[in-house]
Amino acid sequence: MTKQPTLHDVYGAHARIKPLIVDTPLLASAELADKTGAQSVHLKLECLQHTGAFKVRGAANKILSLGDDARQRGVVTFSTGNHGKAVAFVAGRAGIPATVCLSEHVPAYRVEMIRNLGAQVSVKGSSQDEAEANYRELVQNRGMIPVVPFDDPLIIAGQGTIALEILSELPETQVLMIPLSGGGLMAGMAMAAKSINPGIHIVGLSIQRSPAMVESLKAGKPLQVEEKPSIADSLLGGIGFENQYTLPMVEKYVDEHLLVGEEEIKAGMFHLFDTHRIIAEGAAAVGAGIMLSGRIDVKGKRVVSIVSGGTVDTTAYLQIIEEQLERKTHP
């Protein structure tokens, strides 16, 4: 087992990936501050990142770390979509062959996006864990270099660069609200933020329909949790039965866990659109959703919430916006 990544690794990642990422803006939300009683609320807009999500950070750190021999062998990954897009994007920029393994649950629009970035797509299995099994077979048979979605020190360090950007711009941040699934984003950001300011309060936001990390934390080991359809589809999936890094790091660094329901997620998506004209996927709206619900106490605090991505099916998105608008105008 390689040692867990450190703050030094995150700074190294930031220097390495700088040519391939956007230093995304922090948007002040007076409306969410008013609704929650927070001193301030800022939204870190990773939905404006290349490929539309934060995942490009970790993928870039991993792939750009490869030597010449590894680059010639090509890379392979498994993903619910955003990580697959990130690997395809970075590999394409670096001239490296890439294959992305997906489950049958991944929406067709995400599959098409990955193909359009130049990667080969292998669809097999009805869950993220089965897609991972397909990927492992390709690693063994073809000798390709694995680029896992979350449980890798280089991936984790890449995602942690978001915390560096936030705390460079807003060093007095007291609460960080971070979407949580496999834990790469959470592990990297929480470790970096706590290393800089041990007093910062880290909140993990999982979906009620598939809280794999939360259930694994309760059990003290990786668990397989049934995947149920969710508007926050990029937060579906397990944490991997061989998890070495994100589970212990999330256990160590996260102060509070909350489970977000489907209606709360939809309300968050609508609020971000209606108030800020931000198009956020379900996973990216969990922070806004939980703040609107009143189920988190951030009174008097300086809060930053991660809007992790904007990859969403247009038809499904418009349907949610129309439903929420109808609810607002005819309560």
Side-chain angles (χ1 to χ4, degrees), residues 1 3 8 12 23-24 38 41-42 52 66 71 76 78 90 104 136-137 182 185 234 237 252 256-258 261 269-270:
M1 175 178 173
K3 68 179 179 66
H8 177 76
D23 185 342
T24 53
V41 173
H42 285 80
L66 298 176
R71 291 179 180 223
V76 61
F78 61 101
V90 175
E104 295 161 0
R136 291 190 184 282
E137 190 176 317
L185 176 64
S234 59
K252 180 178 181 179
E256 182 178 1
H257 288 277
L258 293 169
M269 293 172 75
F270 178 73

Side-chain angles (χ1 to χ4, degrees), residues 222-235:
L223 291 183
Q224 184 170 11
V225 175
E226 180 186 358
E227 291 185 24
K228 301 174 183 177
S230 171
I231 190 62
D233 53 18
S234 59
L235 292 183

Side-chain angles (χ1 to χ4, degrees), residues 67-110:
D68 291 341
D69 177 65
R71 291 179 180 223
Q72 289 175 6
R73 289 158 62 187
V75 296
V76 61
T77 192
F78 61 101
S79 170
T80 54
N82 282 329
H83 177 69
K85 284 172 58 186
V87 169
F89 171 80
V90 175
R93 287 289 186 94
I96 300 171
T99 298
V100 180
C101 298
L102 303 173
S103 81
E104 295 161 0
H105 278 295
V106 177
Y109 72 94
R110 289 184 188 263

Side-chain angles (χ1 to χ4, degrees), residues 254-330:
V254 179
D255 300 297
E256 182 178 1
H257 288 277
L258 293 169
L259 302 184
V260 191
E262 296 299 295
E263 291 306 314
E264 291 170 333
I265 296 168
K266 291 177 183 178
M269 293 172 75
F270 178 73
H271 178 84
L272 292 173
F273 172 77
D274 190 44
T275 305
H276 298 294
R277 294 300 184 260
I278 295 170
I279 296 176
E281 62 186 85
V286 290
I290 205 72
M291 283 188 276
L292 292 169
S293 75
R295 291 200 295 119
I296 185 168
D297 182 7
V298 291
K299 289 182 178 64
K301 303 291 186 181
R302 299 181 183 92
V303 180
V304 175
S305 181
I306 311 304
V307 182
S308 53
T311 305
V312 62
D313 177 68
T314 302
T315 302
Y317 181 79
L318 290 175
Q319 183 177 351
I320 291 168
I321 297 302
E322 288 173 1
E323 288 174 355
Q324 295 292 315
L325 183 60
E326 177 70 18
R327 186 172 298 181
K328 178 182 178 181
T329 53
H330 298 95

